[in-house]
Amino acid sequence: MVKVMRYLAGFSACCLLFTALPLAAETLIVTLFSGEVPPYSMKINGKRQGIIIDLFTRLAKHTPHKYVLHEAPVVRAMREFDLGRIDIEPGVTPAWRQHRPVPGIYSIVYEEAVDVLVFKEEHRFELNKVSDLYGKTVGIVRGYSYPGYDQAFASGKIKKVENSIEQSLLKQLALGRIEQIFMGYRTVLYFKKQGGVFKDLAIGDVVGRNSISLRLHPSKAYLLPGINAALQKMLDSGEIQAIFDKYK
């Protein structure tokens, strides 16, 4: 009996030691949507920069992993995630991906994203309820989801025009080819500050407010505790807020 107890004690100690060991470093493929999605991802002087790039640069300092950014259009990127070719999709809320074949698992929240109605000033109106858009055409980025409006889009009560690139959609609006679009508040502000055809675009009511996380493929679920710990550390230290402030 004594020998058995010693064996079990030794086995338990070995198990504890094994579980306490840090996970090995991995190379993780991260979605980076193609085109200009400022301030999250854009090319400045030929170099890809933005909030997402900075976020993973900092995350690499707090985890042992290497993060490789993989550019792809929105629809293709979501398909590659389903197939297990993408490990992490940044900037997502569960409601946007709940109908995907592989919904994914989510990190802690690191940002609140706000989507707004955008139009030229002469087309401004108050949006108090979904039905205020019935019979109108709204431009959206292909592959993006707006849970409060998706049913109205699907039924045709609101007609949607899709474009795969934010900047192109804004140009359609600025040139009068469409009267209103949905877009992220940070992105609209970025383009307005660039001037030109964008400076006089008007920002209207909020059409969506979402808590944003990293979406991990289920095959990488074992990495989630370490990534969450790193994100929390970055939130507590102000590192993430500093990234957002950099692109105001």
Side-chain angles (χ1 to χ4, degrees), residues 97-111:
R97 300 292 183 262
Q98 62 182 331
H99 301 302
R100 297 300 303 177
V102 182
I105 57 173
Y106 291 83
S107 73
I108 62 171
V109 172
Y110 65 85
E111 177 190 6

Side-chain angles (χ1 to χ4, degrees), residues 6-8 19 43 52 70-71 74 76 87 118 158 230 237:
R6 285 177 179 172
Y7 172 79
L8 291 174
T19 56
K43 284 187 178 178
I52 291 175
H70 173 73
E71 290 192 46
V74 175
R76 187 197 304 167
D87 300 312
V118 190
I158 304 174
S237 67

Side-chain angles (χ1 to χ4, degrees), residues 89-147:
E89 181 187 6
V92 188
T93 193
W96 296 348
R97 300 292 183 262
Q98 62 182 331
H99 301 302
R100 297 300 303 177
V102 182
I105 57 173
Y106 291 83
S107 73
I108 62 171
V109 172
Y110 65 85
E111 177 190 6
E112 181 181 60
V114 176
D115 293 306
V116 292
L117 183 66
V118 190
F119 29 47
K120 299 178 78 170
E121 190 60 49
E122 60 265 32
H123 297 140
R124 179 186 286 276
F125 64 94
E126 287 190 9
L127 180 62
N128 297 309
K129 53 188 182 298
V130 176
S131 59
D132 290 338
L133 284 171
Y134 285 2
K136 297 182 183 293
T137 298
V138 176
I140 68 170
V141 177
R142 184 175 292 112
Y144 284 17
S145 175
Y146 299 90

